Amino acid sequence: MAGKLLGVVGPSGVGKDSVMQAVAEARPGIALVRRVITRPTEAGGEDFEGTTEADFAARAAAGEFLLSWQAHGLHYGVPRAVLDQLAAGQHLLVNLSRAVLPEAQRRVPGFACLLLSAPLPVLAERLAARGREDAAEIERRLARAGFALPEGVVPHEVDNSGALDDTVRAVLQILDAQQIGADADMGHVK
């Protein structure tokens, strides 16, 4: 049986990477997609492949990306090899831009979307704490926080303003209902 791809979206600072990592640890049958990003690998945050804009453009032109987009002055790509992983039965979580959700729905059978949310003060605090953006960039990111999802995208929404364990429990319930990773070791969050 083919694996399922769950695209995780939400405003900057909502904790997408933290939630995804915790879900993958709680449910060993689920893996994280390693994105290609035009920023230095040592910038920290998620596990990603850093590259230059020229390399990214060449790889995009060669068709190496299933999905790609630009946001916050960076280019992001999801490797086409994700399709092979899904065909092999691997369930995957990927941090996506809201803008590519319709394309993901068209290209990946059974694609599902998880929307993480949190109040603006929580987002502002988290963005400041991670230390990757200056105050002006944080303001720009917060201004985009309320953007709606593209028409036709119906997400599973989870509030991530509280404890990470509570969010993970809520996500695992959604995964169980969607039968994503339900055949794997049913790890539980304490």
Side-chain angles (χ1 to χ4, degrees), residues 18-144:
S18 297
V19 170
M20 290 169 52
Q21 184 66 43
V23 167
E25 288 171 5
R27 187 66 56 84
I30 297 174
L32 304 178
V33 172
R34 188 170 187 248
R35 302 184 302 173
V36 177
I37 306 174
T38 56
R39 75 172 168 225
T41 303
E42 56 274 1
E46 69 182 281
D47 178 24
F48 67 96
E49 178 187 341
T51 192
T52 65
E53 286 192 26
D55 180 63
F56 189 96
R59 291 168 73 177
E64 290 186 28
F65 299 124
L66 172 65
L67 302 166
S68 64
W69 65 95
Q70 186 175 359
H72 311 296
L74 300 170
H75 295 273
Y76 297 81
V78 173
R80 185 167 294 285
V82 161
L83 294 174
D84 296 332
Q85 291 175 275
L86 294 170
Q90 178 70 63
H91 300 296
L92 299 168
L93 297 176
V94 62
N95 181 338
L96 293 178
S97 166
R98 293 170 270 202
V100 298
L101 292 174
E103 189 175 354
Q105 286 180 325
R106 284 191 302 274
R107 292 184 175 189
V108 182
F111 175 80
C113 176
L114 173 66
L115 171 62
L116 295 176
S117 61
L120 281 178
V122 172
L123 299 175
E125 182 180 316
R126 289 178 181 168
L127 287 170
R130 74 184 187 183
R132 286 199 314 242
E133 299 90 4
D134 62 23
E137 178 61 20
I138 289 172
E139 286 301 317
R140 282 191 292 276
R141 287 177 180 256
L142 291 175
R144 291 179 40 88

